[in-house]
Amino acid sequence: MPRTLSARFRRAHRVVVPLAAAPLLLTAASGSLYSLLLERGIDAFWLLKLHTGTFGPINLQPYYSVLLGGLTLVVIASGLALLLTSGRARA
């Protein structure tokens, strides 16, 4: 049974977005939490390390900004593809 283009985009979107959003949410949460704790006089430097892409022995710092930018573009492209194909189906 052939799937429609819209159904394939929805399925891909459901798989791609959670994988792409996880590092974005981790970066946003660790940066916000670090700022809040710093205002209270608590220096949680480990949060800053997470925020910049250092995960214990795994150091992604040189690539983390590019990775986050690329993942943001993936989420946007996936959403736009889904939006455009569902708009065509309605018209």
Coordinates of all heavy atoms in Angstrom, one line a residue:
M1 N 0.9 -1.2 0.0 CA 0.0 0.0 0.0 C 0.9 1.2 0.0 O 1.6 1.5 1.0 CB -0.9 0.0 1.3 CG -1.7 1.2 1.4 SD -2.5 1.4 3.0 CE -3.9 0.4 2.8
P2 N 0.9 2.0 -1.0 CA 1.7 3.2 -1.1 C 1.2 4.3 -0.2 O 0.1 4.5 0.0 CB 1.6 3.7 -2.6 CG 0.4 3.1 -3.1 CD 0.1 1.8 -2.3
R3 N 2.2 4.9 0.5 CA 1.9 6.0 1.4 C 1.9 7.3 0.7 O 2.6 7.5 -0.3 CB 2.9 6.1 2.6 CG 2.8 5.0 3.5 CD 3.7 5.2 4.6 NE 3.5 4.2 5.6 CZ 3.9 4.4 6.9 NH1 4.5 5.5 7.2 NH2 3.7 3.5 7.8
T4 N 1.1 8.2 1.1 CA 1.1 9.6 0.5 C 2.4 10.3 1.0 O 3.0 9.9 2.0 CB -0.1 10.4 0.9 OG1 -0.1 10.6 2.3 CG2 -1.4 9.7 0.5
L5 N 2.8 11.3 0.3 CA 3.9 12.1 0.7 C 3.7 12.7 2.0 O 4.7 12.8 2.8 CB 4.2 13.2 -0.4 CG 5.4 14.0 -0.3 CD1 6.7 13.1 -0.3 CD2 5.5 15.1 -1.3
S6 N 2.5 13.2 2.3 CA 2.2 13.8 3.6 C 2.4 12.9 4.7 O 2.9 13.2 5.8 CB 0.8 14.4 3.6 OG 0.5 15.0 4.8
A7 N 2.0 11.6 4.5 CA 2.1 10.6 5.6 C 3.6 10.3 5.9 O 4.0 10.1 7.0 CB 1.3 9.4 5.2
R8 N 4.4 10.2 4.8 CA 5.8 10.0 5.0 C 6.5 11.1 5.7 O 7.4 10.9 6.6 CB 6.5 9.7 3.6 CG 6.2 8.3 3.1 CD 7.0 8.1 1.9 NE 6.1 8.5 0.8 CZ 6.5 8.7 -0.4 NH1 7.7 8.6 -0.8 NH2 5.6 9.1 -1.4
F9 N 6.1 12.4 5.4 CA 6.7 13.5 6.1 C 6.3 13.5 7.6 O 7.1 13.9 8.4 CB 6.3 14.8 5.4 CG 7.1 15.2 4.3 CD1 6.6 15.6 3.1 CD2 8.5 15.3 4.4 CE1 7.4 16.0 2.0 CE2 9.3 15.7 3.4 CZ 8.8 16.0 2.2
R10 N 5.0 13.2 7.9 CA 4.6 13.1 9.3 C 5.4 12.1 10.0 O 5.8 12.3 11.2 CB 3.1 12.8 9.3 CG 2.2 14.0 9.2 CD 0.8 13.7 9.6 NE 0.2 12.5 9.0 CZ -0.5 12.5 7.9 NH1 -0.6 13.6 7.2 NH2 -1.0 11.3 7.4
R11 N 5.6 10.9 9.4 CA 6.4 9.9 10.1 C 7.8 10.3 10.3 O 8.4 10.1 11.4 CB 6.3 8.6 9.3 CG 7.0 7.5 9.9 CD 7.0 6.2 9.1 NE 7.9 5.2 9.6 CZ 7.6 4.1 10.1 NH1 6.3 3.8 10.2 NH2 8.5 3.2 10.6
A12 N 8.4 10.9 9.3 CA 9.8 11.4 9.5 C 9.9 12.4 10.5 O 10.8 12.5 11.3 CB 10.3 11.9 8.1
H13 N 8.9 13.3 10.5 CA 8.9 14.4 11.5 C 8.8 13.9 12.9 O 9.5 14.4 13.8 CB 7.7 15.3 11.2 CG 7.6 16.6 12.0 ND1 8.5 17.7 11.8 CD2 6.9 16.9 13.1 CE1 8.2 18.6 12.6 NE2 7.2 18.2 13.4
R14 N 8.0 12.8 13.1 CA 7.9 12.2 14.5 C 9.1 11.6 14.9 O 9.4 11.5 16.1 CB 6.8 11.2 14.5 CG 5.4 11.8 14.6 CD 4.4 10.7 14.8 NE 3.2 11.0 14.0 CZ 2.7 10.2 13.1 NH1 3.2 9.0 12.9 NH2 1.7 10.6 12.4
V15 N 10.0 11.1 14.0 CA 11.2 10.5 14.4 C 12.3 11.6 14.6 O 13.1 11.5 15.5 CB 11.7 9.5 13.3 CG1 13.1 9.0 13.6 CG2 10.7 8.3 13.3
V16 N 12.4 12.5 13.7 CA 13.5 13.5 13.6 C 13.4 14.5 14.7 O 14.4 14.8 15.4 CB 13.5 14.2 12.2 CG1 14.5 15.4 12.2 CG2 14.0 13.2 11.2
V17 N 12.3 15.0 15.0 CA 12.1 16.2 15.9 C 12.6 15.8 17.3 O 13.3 16.5 18.0 CB 10.7 16.8 15.9 CG1 10.5 17.7 17.0 CG2 10.6 17.5 14.5
P18 N 12.1 14.7 17.9 CA 12.6 14.4 19.3 C 14.1 14.2 19.3 O 14.8 14.6 20.3 CB 11.9 13.1 19.7 CG 10.7 13.1 18.8 CD 11.1 13.7 17.5
L19 N 14.7 13.6 18.3 CA 16.2 13.4 18.3 C 16.9 14.7 18.2 O 17.9 15.0 18.8 CB 16.6 12.5 17.2 CG 16.1 11.0 17.3 CD1 16.5 10.3 16.0 CD2 16.8 10.4 18.5
A20 N 16.3 15.6 17.4 CA 17.0 16.9 17.2 C 16.7 17.9 18.3 O 17.5 18.7 18.7 CB 16.5 17.6 15.9
A21 N 15.6 17.7 19.0 CA 15.2 18.7 20.0 C 15.9 18.4 21.4 O 16.1 19.3 22.2 CB 13.7 18.6 20.3
A22 N 16.3 17.2 21.6 CA 17.0 16.8 22.9 C 18.2 17.7 23.2 O 18.3 18.2 24.3 CB 17.3 15.3 22.9
P23 N 19.2 17.8 22.3 CA 20.3 18.6 22.6 C 19.9 20.1 22.7 O 20.5 20.8 23.5 CB 21.3 18.4 21.4 CG 20.8 17.3 20.6 CD 19.4 17.0 21.0
L24 N 19.0 20.5 21.9 CA 18.5 21.9 22.0 C 17.9 22.2 23.4 O 18.2 23.3 24.0 CB 17.5 22.3 20.9 CG 18.1 22.2 19.5 CD1 16.9 22.2 18.5 CD2 19.1 23.2 19.2
L25 N 17.1 21.3 23.8 CA 16.4 21.5 25.2 C 17.4 21.4 26.3 O 17.4 22.1 27.3 CB 15.3 20.4 25.3 CG 14.1 20.6 24.5 CD1 13.1 19.5 24.6 CD2 13.4 21.9 24.8
L26 N 18.4 20.5 26.1 CA 19.5 20.4 27.2 C 20.3 21.6 27.3 O 20.6 22.1 28.4 CB 20.4 19.2 26.8 CG 21.6 19.0 27.7 CD1 21.2 18.6 29.1 CD2 22.6 18.0 27.1
T27 N 20.6 22.2 26.1 CA 21.4 23.5 26.1 C 20.6 24.6 26.7 O 21.1 25.4 27.6 CB 21.8 23.8 24.7 OG1 22.6 22.8 24.2 CG2 22.6 25.1 24.6
A28 N 19.3 24.7 26.4 CA 18.5 25.8 26.9 C 18.3 25.6 28.4 O 18.4 26.6 29.2 CB 17.1 25.8 26.2
A29 N 18.0 24.4 28.8 CA 17.7 24.1 30.3 C 19.0 24.4 31.1 O 18.9 25.0 32.2 CB 17.2 22.7 30.5
S30 N 20.1 23.9 30.7 CA 21.3 24.0 31.4 C 21.8 25.5 31.5 O 22.2 25.9 32.6 CB 22.5 23.1 30.9 OG 22.8 23.5 29.6
G31 N 21.6 26.2 30.5 CA 22.0 27.6 30.5 C 21.1 28.4 31.4 O 21.5 29.3 32.2
S32 N 19.8 28.2 31.4 CA 18.8 28.9 32.2 C 19.1 28.5 33.7 O 19.1 29.4 34.6 CB 17.4 28.5 31.8 OG 17.1 28.9 30.5
L33 N 19.2 27.2 34.0 CA 19.4 26.8 35.3 C 20.7 27.3 35.9 O 20.8 27.7 37.1 CB 19.4 25.3 35.4 CG 19.4 24.6 36.8 CD1 18.2 25.1 37.6 CD2 19.3 23.1 36.7
Y34 N 21.8 27.4 35.1 CA 23.1 27.9 35.5 C 22.9 29.4 35.9 O 23.4 29.8 37.0 CB 24.1 27.8 34.4 CG 25.5 28.3 34.9 CD1 26.3 27.6 35.7 CD2 25.9 29.5 34.4 CE1 27.5 28.1 36.1 CE2 27.1 30.1 34.7 CZ 27.9 29.4 35.6 OH 29.1 29.9 36.0
S35 N 22.2 30.1 35.1 CA 21.9 31.6 35.4 C 21.2 31.7 36.7 O 21.5 32.6 37.6 CB 21.2 32.2 34.3 OG 22.0 32.4 33.2
L36 N 20.1 30.9 36.9 CA 19.3 31.0 38.1 C 20.1 30.7 39.4 O 20.0 31.3 40.4 CB 18.1 30.1 38.0 CG 17.0 30.5 37.0 CD1 16.0 29.5 36.9 CD2 16.4 31.9 37.5
L37 N 20.9 29.6 39.3 CA 21.8 29.2 40.4 C 22.9 30.2 40.7 O 23.2 30.5 41.9 CB 22.4 27.8 40.2 CG 21.4 26.7 40.2 CD1 22.1 25.4 39.8 CD2 20.7 26.5 41.5
L38 N 23.4 30.8 39.7 CA 24.5 31.8 39.8 C 23.9 33.1 40.6 O 24.6 33.7 41.4 CB 25.1 32.2 38.5 CG 26.5 32.8 38.5 CD1 27.5 31.9 39.2 CD2 26.9 33.1 37.1
E39 N 22.7 33.4 40.3 CA 22.1 34.6 41.0 C 21.9 34.3 42.5 O 21.9 35.2 43.3 CB 20.7 34.9 40.4 CG 20.7 35.6 39.1 CD 19.4 35.8 38.5 OE1 18.4 35.7 39.2 OE2 19.3 36.2 37.3
R40 N 21.8 33.0 42.8 CA 21.6 32.7 44.2 C 23.0 32.4 44.9 O 23.1 32.0 46.0 CB 20.8 31.4 44.4 CG 19.3 31.7 44.0 CD 18.5 30.5 44.4 NE 17.1 30.7 44.3 CZ 16.3 31.2 45.2 NH1 16.9 31.5 46.4 NH2 15.1 31.4 45.0
G41 N 24.1 32.6 44.2 CA 25.4 32.4 44.7 C 25.9 31.0 44.6 O 26.9 30.7 45.2
I42 N 25.3 30.2 43.8 CA 25.7 28.8 43.7 C 26.4 28.7 42.3 O 25.8 28.9 41.3 CB 24.5 27.8 43.7 CG1 23.7 28.0 45.0 CG2 24.9 26.4 43.5 CD1 22.4 27.3 45.1
D43 N 27.6 28.3 42.3 CA 28.4 28.2 41.1 C 28.4 26.7 40.7 O 29.2 25.9 41.1 CB 29.8 28.7 41.2 CG 30.5 28.7 39.9 OD1 29.9 28.7 38.9 OD2 31.8 28.8 39.9
A44 N 27.4 26.3 39.8 CA 27.3 25.0 39.3 C 28.0 24.9 38.0 O 27.4 24.9 36.9 CB 25.9 24.6 39.2
F45 N 29.3 24.8 38.0 CA 30.2 24.9 36.8 C 29.9 23.7 35.9 O 30.0 23.8 34.7 CB 31.6 24.9 37.2 CG 32.5 25.2 36.0 CD1 32.5 26.5 35.4 CD2 33.4 24.3 35.5 CE1 33.2 26.8 34.3 CE2 34.2 24.6 34.4 CZ 34.1 25.8 33.8
W46 N 29.5 22.6 36.5 CA 29.2 21.4 35.7 C 28.0 21.6 34.7 O 28.0 21.1 33.6 CB 28.9 20.2 36.5 CG 27.7 20.3 37.4 CD1 27.7 20.9 38.7 CD2 26.3 20.0 37.2 NE1 26.4 20.9 39.2 CE2 25.6 20.4 38.3 CE3 25.7 19.4 36.1 CZ2 24.2 20.1 38.3 CZ3 24.4 19.1 36.2 CH2 23.6 19.5 37.3
L47 N 27.1 22.6 35.1 CA 26.0 22.9 34.1 C 26.5 23.7 32.9 O 26.1 23.5 31.8 CB 24.9 23.8 34.9 CG 23.9 23.0 35.7 CD1 23.1 23.9 36.5 CD2 23.1 22.1 34.8
L48 N 27.5 24.5 33.2 CA 28.1 25.3 32.1 C 28.9 24.3 31.1 O 28.8 24.5 29.9 CB 29.1 26.3 32.7 CG 29.5 27.4 31.7 CD1 28.3 28.2 31.2 CD2 30.5 28.4 32.4
K49 N 29.5 23.3 31.7 CA 30.1 22.3 30.9 C 29.1 21.6 30.0 O 29.3 21.4 28.8 CB 30.9 21.3 31.7 CG 32.1 21.8 32.4 CD 33.1 22.1 31.3 CE 34.5 22.3 32.0 NZ 35.5 22.7 30.9
L50 N 27.9 21.2 30.5 CA 26.9 20.6 29.7 C 26.4 21.5 28.7 O 26.2 21.2 27.5 CB 25.7 20.2 30.6 CG 25.8 18.9 31.4 CD1 24.5 18.7 32.2 CD2 25.9 17.7 30.4
H51 N 26.3 22.8 29.1 CA 25.7 23.8 28.2 C 26.6 24.0 26.9 O 26.1 24.3 25.8 CB 25.6 25.1 28.9 CG 25.0 26.3 28.1 ND1 23.7 26.3 27.8 CD2 25.6 27.4 27.6 CE1 23.5 27.4 27.1 NE2 24.7 28.1 26.9
T52 N 27.9 23.8 27.1 CA 28.9 24.0 26.0 C 29.3 22.8 25.3 O 30.1 22.8 24.4 CB 30.1 24.8 26.5 OG1 30.7 24.0 27.5 CG2 29.8 26.1 27.0
G53 N 28.7 21.6 25.7 CA 29.0 20.4 24.9 C 30.0 19.5 25.5 O 30.5 18.6 24.7
T54 N 30.4 19.6 26.7 CA 31.3 18.7 27.4 C 30.5 17.7 28.2 O 29.9 18.1 29.2 CB 32.3 19.4 28.2 OG1 33.0 20.4 27.4 CG2 33.3 18.4 28.8
F55 N 30.5 16.4 27.8 CA 29.7 15.4 28.5 C 30.6 14.4 29.1 O 30.8 13.3 28.5 CB 28.7 14.7 27.6 CG 27.8 15.7 26.8 CD1 28.1 16.1 25.5 CD2 26.7 16.3 27.5 CE1 27.3 16.9 24.9 CE2 25.9 17.2 26.8 CZ 26.2 17.5 25.5
G56 N 31.2 14.7 30.2 CA 32.2 13.8 30.9 C 33.4 13.7 30.0 O 34.0 14.6 29.6
P57 N 33.7 12.4 29.6 CA 34.9 12.2 28.8 C 34.7 12.6 27.3 O 35.6 12.7 26.6 CB 35.2 10.7 28.9 CG 33.9 10.1 29.3 CD 33.1 11.2 30.1
I58 N 33.4 12.8 27.0 CA 33.1 13.1 25.6 C 33.1 14.7 25.4 O 32.3 15.3 26.0 CB 31.8 12.5 25.1 CG1 31.8 11.0 25.3 CG2 31.5 13.0 23.7 CD1 30.5 10.4 25.1
N59 N 34.0 15.2 24.7 CA 34.1 16.6 24.5 C 33.7 17.0 23.1 O 34.4 16.8 22.1 CB 35.5 17.1 24.8 CG 35.6 18.6 24.7 OD1 34.7 19.3 24.6 ND2 36.9 19.1 24.7
L60 N 32.5 17.6 23.0 CA 32.0 18.0 21.7 C 32.1 19.5 21.5 O 31.5 20.0 20.5 CB 30.5 17.5 21.5 CG 30.2 16.1 21.5 CD1 28.7 15.8 21.5 CD2 30.9 15.4 20.4
Q61 N 32.8 20.2 22.4 CA 32.8 21.6 22.4 C 33.2 22.2 21.0 O 32.5 23.2 20.6 CB 33.8 22.1 23.4 CG 33.1 23.0 24.4 CD 34.1 23.4 25.5 OE1 35.2 22.9 25.6 NE2 33.6 24.4 26.3
P62 N 34.1 21.7 20.3 CA 34.5 22.3 19.0 C 33.3 22.2 18.0 O 33.3 23.0 17.0 CB 35.7 21.6 18.5 CG 36.2 20.9 19.7 CD 35.1 20.7 20.6
Y63 N 32.5 21.2 18.1 CA 31.4 21.0 17.1 C 30.0 21.3 17.6 O 29.1 21.2 16.8 CB 31.5 19.5 16.7 CG 32.9 19.0 16.5 CD1 33.5 18.1 17.5 CD2 33.6 19.3 15.4 CE1 34.7 17.6 17.3 CE2 34.9 18.9 15.2 CZ 35.5 18.0 16.2 OH 36.7 17.6 16.0
Y64 N 29.9 21.6 18.9 CA 28.5 21.6 19.5 C 27.7 22.8 18.9 O 26.5 22.6 18.7 CB 28.7 21.8 21.0 CG 27.4 21.3 21.7 CD1 26.9 20.0 21.6 CD2 26.8 22.2 22.6 CE1 25.8 19.6 22.3 CE2 25.6 21.8 23.3 CZ 25.2 20.5 23.1 OH 24.0 20.1 23.8
S65 N 28.3 23.9 18.7 CA 27.5 25.1 18.1 C 27.1 24.7 16.7 O 25.9 25.0 16.3 CB 28.4 26.3 18.0 OG 28.8 26.7 19.3
V66 N 27.9 24.1 15.9 CA 27.5 23.7 14.5 C 26.4 22.7 14.6 O 25.5 22.7 13.8 CB 28.7 23.2 13.8 CG1 28.3 22.7 12.4 CG2 29.8 24.3 13.6
L67 N 26.6 21.7 15.5 CA 25.6 20.7 15.7 C 24.2 21.3 16.1 O 23.2 20.9 15.5 CB 26.0 19.7 16.8 CG 25.0 18.6 17.2 CD1 24.9 17.6 16.1 CD2 25.5 17.9 18.5
L68 N 24.2 22.2 17.0 CA 22.9 22.8 17.4 C 22.3 23.6 16.3 O 21.1 23.6 16.1 CB 23.2 23.7 18.7 CG 23.5 23.0 20.0 CD1 23.7 24.0 21.1 CD2 22.4 22.0 20.4
G69 N 23.1 24.3 15.6 CA 22.6 25.1 14.4 C 22.1 24.2 13.4 O 21.0 24.4 12.8
G70 N 22.8 23.1 13.1 CA 22.3 22.1 12.1 C 21.0 21.5 12.5 O 20.1 21.3 11.7
L71 N 20.9 21.1 13.8 CA 19.7 20.5 14.3 C 18.5 21.4 14.3 O 17.4 21.0 14.0 CB 19.9 20.0 15.7 CG 20.8 18.7 15.8 CD1 21.1 18.4 17.3 CD2 20.3 17.5 15.1
T72 N 18.8 22.7 14.5 CA 17.7 23.7 14.4 C 17.2 23.8 13.0 O 16.0 23.8 12.8 CB 18.2 25.1 14.9 OG1 18.7 25.0 16.2 CG2 17.1 26.1 14.8
L73 N 18.1 23.8 12.0 CA 17.7 23.8 10.6 C 16.9 22.5 10.2 O 15.9 22.6 9.5 CB 18.9 24.0 9.7 CG 19.6 25.3 9.9 CD1 20.8 25.4 9.0 CD2 18.6 26.5 9.5
V74 N 17.3 21.4 10.8 CA 16.6 20.1 10.5 C 15.1 20.2 11.0 O 14.2 19.8 10.3 CB 17.3 18.9 11.1 CG1 16.5 17.7 11.2 CG2 18.6 18.7 10.4
V75 N 15.0 20.7 12.3 CA 13.6 20.8 12.8 C 12.8 21.8 12.0 O 11.6 21.5 11.7 CB 13.7 21.3 14.3 CG1 12.3 21.6 14.9 CG2 14.3 20.2 15.1
I76 N 13.3 22.9 11.6 CA 12.6 23.9 10.8 C 12.2 23.3 9.4 O 11.1 23.4 9.0 CB 13.4 25.2 10.6 CG1 13.5 25.9 11.9 CG2 12.8 26.1 9.5 CD1 14.5 27.1 11.9
A77 N 13.2 22.6 8.8 CA 12.9 22.0 7.5 C 11.9 20.9 7.6 O 11.0 20.9 6.7 CB 14.2 21.5 6.9
S78 N 11.9 20.1 8.6 CA 10.9 19.1 8.8 C 9.5 19.7 9.0 O 8.6 19.2 8.4 CB 11.4 18.2 10.0 OG 10.4 17.3 10.3
G79 N 9.5 20.7 9.8 CA 8.2 21.3 10.1 C 7.6 22.0 8.8 O 6.4 21.9 8.5
L80 N 8.5 22.7 8.1 CA 8.0 23.3 6.8 C 7.6 22.3 5.8 O 6.6 22.5 5.1 CB 9.2 24.2 6.3 CG 9.4 25.5 6.9 CD1 10.6 26.2 6.3 CD2 8.2 26.4 6.9
A81 N 8.3 21.2 5.7 CA 7.9 20.2 4.7 C 6.5 19.6 5.1 O 5.7 19.4 4.2 CB 8.9 19.1 4.7
L82 N 6.3 19.4 6.4 CA 5.0 18.9 6.8 C 3.9 20.0 6.6 O 2.9 19.6 6.1 CB 5.1 18.6 8.3 CG 4.0 17.9 9.0 CD1 3.8 16.5 8.3 CD2 4.3 17.7 10.5
L83 N 4.2 21.2 6.9 CA 3.3 22.3 6.7 C 2.9 22.4 5.2 O 1.7 22.5 4.8 CB 3.8 23.6 7.2 CG 2.9 24.8 7.1 CD1 1.7 24.7 8.0 CD2 3.7 26.1 7.4
L84 N 3.9 22.4 4.3 CA 3.7 22.6 2.9 C 2.9 21.4 2.3 O 2.0 21.6 1.4 CB 5.0 22.9 2.2 CG 5.7 24.2 2.5 CD1 7.0 24.2 1.9 CD2 4.8 25.4 2.2
T85 N 3.2 20.2 2.7 CA 2.5 19.1 2.1 C 1.1 19.0 2.6 O 0.2 18.6 1.9 CB 3.3 17.7 2.4 OG1 3.4 17.6 3.8 CG2 4.6 17.7 1.7
S86 N 0.9 19.4 3.9 CA -0.5 19.3 4.4 C -1.3 20.4 3.8 O -2.5 20.3 3.6 CB -0.5 19.4 5.9 OG -0.1 20.7 6.3
G87 N -0.7 21.6 3.4 CA -1.4 22.6 2.8 C -1.8 22.3 1.4 O -2.9 22.6 0.9
R88 N -1.0 21.5 0.7 CA -1.4 21.1 -0.7 C -2.5 20.1 -0.7 O -3.3 20.0 -1.6 CB -0.2 20.4 -1.4 CG 0.9 21.4 -1.8 CD 1.9 20.7 -2.7 NE 3.1 21.6 -2.7 CZ 4.3 21.1 -2.7 NH1 4.6 19.8 -2.7 NH2 5.3 21.9 -2.8
A89 N -2.5 19.2 0.4 CA -3.5 18.2 0.5 C -4.9 18.8 0.7 O -5.9 18.3 0.2 CB -3.2 17.2 1.6
R90 N -4.9 19.9 1.4 CA -6.2 20.6 1.7 C -6.7 21.4 0.5 O -7.9 21.6 0.3 CB -6.0 21.6 2.9 CG -5.9 20.9 4.2 CD -5.8 21.9 5.3 NE -5.3 21.2 6.5 CZ -4.6 21.8 7.4 NH1 -4.3 23.1 7.3 NH2 -4.1 21.1 8.4
A91 N -5.8 21.9 -0.3 CA -6.2 22.8 -1.5 C -6.8 22.0 -2.6 O -6.8 20.9 -2.8 CB -5.0 23.6 -2.0

